[in-house]
Amino acid sequence: MGALSKGAALTAAAKPLLAGKTPAKAAKAAKAAKAAKAGTARTARPLRAVRALGGESVVDVLTRQHRQIRLGFLRAALPGPGRRRNFDRLMRLLAVHEAAEEAHVHPVARKTLRHGRDLAARRRREEKEAKRLLVRLWRTGPHGPGYLRRLNEVRRAVGRHAAREEREELAALRRVLGPARLRMLGAEVKLAQAYAPTRPHRWANNEITNKLAAPVLGPLDRALDAARRRTSR
């Protein structure tokens, strides 16, 4: 009976220790679950953003826009009352396309591809020259003297650049990056284009200047575009 009382006493003495340990484990498990849930939420947010923007690979986004640009040059050369509208659409597409590439695509290529630094530098030189011609075309306007000649100059420069970009840079990115990263980069490009300037600006020709220009020149260019549309009605 005394031994039984002693065992009961030991069990009773151990209960507070066990009781103290169990809540600590429970708290630790709850903390781990909360962290896992937060991590899942952090992962899910970008994925939801990608799905909301279409979930397209950056390669598909840019190659489709290259086709739209080629068609835009043809339309901008047509005579008639629609030339101004076609010209403005082409300028806008070229401006936002190049801004997104310079701010997001070339930096990724520079960091991830073999010889990426040289590859990105060549693309930037081509874009700088094309932008110089584009500014001249913008100043000439769709009804100015020498418009078709300057339009063809820009068309040839942009066409050569787009072909090299698809062959060298975009093909390599498709090989090196995984599908999820390609879709994420495609979403970044679409989002950047939604806020990018809609007119050519010669000094905005790299990652930093394009990212700085977007919150200032993007809204300004869009306000000027809206004013022009109102006056042309």
Side-chain angles (χ1 to χ4, degrees), residues 114-132:
R114 187 182 180 188
H115 308 304
R117 187 176 296 275
D118 293 337
L119 188 65
R122 288 198 298 271
R123 295 294 82 79
R124 285 200 310 274
R125 284 195 297 270
E126 293 166 3
E127 287 165 352
K128 190 174 181 180
E129 173 60 17
K131 195 167 288 186
R132 182 184 68 82

Side-chain angles (χ1 to χ4, degrees), residues 57-59 62 104-113 119 165-179 181-182 185:
S57 160
V58 66
V59 178
L62 296 180
H104 296 276
V105 180
H106 300 331
V108 172
R110 186 175 66 247
K111 294 172 186 175
T112 60
L113 299 183
L119 188 65
E165 189 172 71
E166 291 181 13
R167 185 174 61 249
E168 299 174 9
E169 189 173 23
L170 298 183
L173 286 174
R174 193 192 288 276
R175 288 194 303 270
V176 171
L177 300 182
R181 183 68 184 96
L182 287 170
L185 191 54

Side-chain angles (χ1 to χ4, degrees), residues 159-221:
R160 288 193 298 266
H161 164 71
R164 292 185 186 122
E165 189 172 71
E166 291 181 13
R167 185 174 61 249
E168 299 174 9
E169 189 173 23
L170 298 183
L173 286 174
R174 193 192 288 276
R175 288 194 303 270
V176 171
L177 300 182
R181 183 68 184 96
L182 287 170
R183 289 194 296 271
M184 184 71 73
L185 191 54
E188 291 176 23
V189 164
K190 287 184 178 181
L191 191 60
Q193 290 178 349
Y195 296 97
T198 60
R199 302 171 181 215
H201 300 279
R202 283 188 64 181
W203 58 269
N205 55 20
N206 57 41
E207 178 182 5
I208 295 174
T209 54
N210 274 286
K211 287 181 177 178
L212 290 174
V216 179
L217 294 179
L220 177 61
D221 284 356

Side-chain angles (χ1 to χ4, degrees), residues 24-228:
K25 285 184 177 180
K28 188 175 180 181
K31 188 176 180 181
K34 187 177 180 181
K37 186 177 180 181
T40 303
R42 283 194 298 269
T43 305
R45 280 194 293 270
L47 291 176
R48 283 198 298 269
V50 169
R51 286 194 292 269
L53 290 167
E56 273 186 293
S57 160
V58 66
V59 178
D60 295 336
V61 172
L62 296 180
T63 52
R64 186 185 71 251
Q65 290 182 356
H66 288 167
R67 292 192 297 271
Q68 292 171 344
I69 288 168
R70 287 194 292 270
L71 182 59
F73 276 111
L74 296 176
R75 288 175 173 164
L78 296 174
R83 176 179 279 186
R84 162 59 71 179
R85 183 178 64 253
N86 290 330
F87 173 78
D88 288 344
R89 285 176 178 171
L90 175 62
M91 292 296 103
R92 182 188 183 101
L93 179 55
L94 285 168
V96 302
H97 179 87
E98 295 302 331
E101 284 186 342
E102 291 167 358
H104 296 276
V105 180
H106 300 331
V108 172
R110 186 175 66 247
K111 294 172 186 175
T112 60
L113 299 183
R114 187 182 180 188
H115 308 304
R117 187 176 296 275
D118 293 337
L119 188 65
R122 288 198 298 271
R123 295 294 82 79
R124 285 200 310 274
R125 284 195 297 270
E126 293 166 3
E127 287 165 352
K128 190 174 181 180
E129 173 60 17
K131 195 167 288 186
R132 182 184 68 82
L133 297 173
L134 197 58
V135 168
R136 287 176 54 192
L137 177 63
W138 173 261
R139 290 172 179 167
T140 299
H143 304 296
Y147 167 70
L148 289 177
R149 175 174 55 81
R150 289 182 175 170
L151 182 70
N152 280 324
E153 287 177 349
V154 177
R155 180 184 59 80
R156 287 193 293 268
V158 169
R160 288 193 298 266
H161 164 71
R164 292 185 186 122
E165 189 172 71
E166 291 181 13
R167 185 174 61 249
E168 299 174 9
E169 189 173 23
L170 298 183
L173 286 174
R174 193 192 288 276
R175 288 194 303 270
V176 171
L177 300 182
R181 183 68 184 96
L182 287 170
R183 289 194 296 271
M184 184 71 73
L185 191 54
E188 291 176 23
V189 164
K190 287 184 178 181
L191 191 60
Q193 290 178 349
Y195 296 97
T198 60
R199 302 171 181 215
H201 300 279
R202 283 188 64 181
W203 58 269
N205 55 20
N206 57 41
E207 178 182 5
I208 295 174
T209 54
N210 274 286
K211 287 181 177 178
L212 290 174
V216 179
L217 294 179
L220 177 61
D221 284 356
R222 283 168 169 74
L224 293 172
D225 293 343
R228 171 178 283 180

Side-chain angles (χ1 to χ4, degrees), residues 8-24:
L10 289 173
T11 302
K15 279 183 179 180
L17 295 176
L18 292 172
K21 192 173 181 181
T22 302

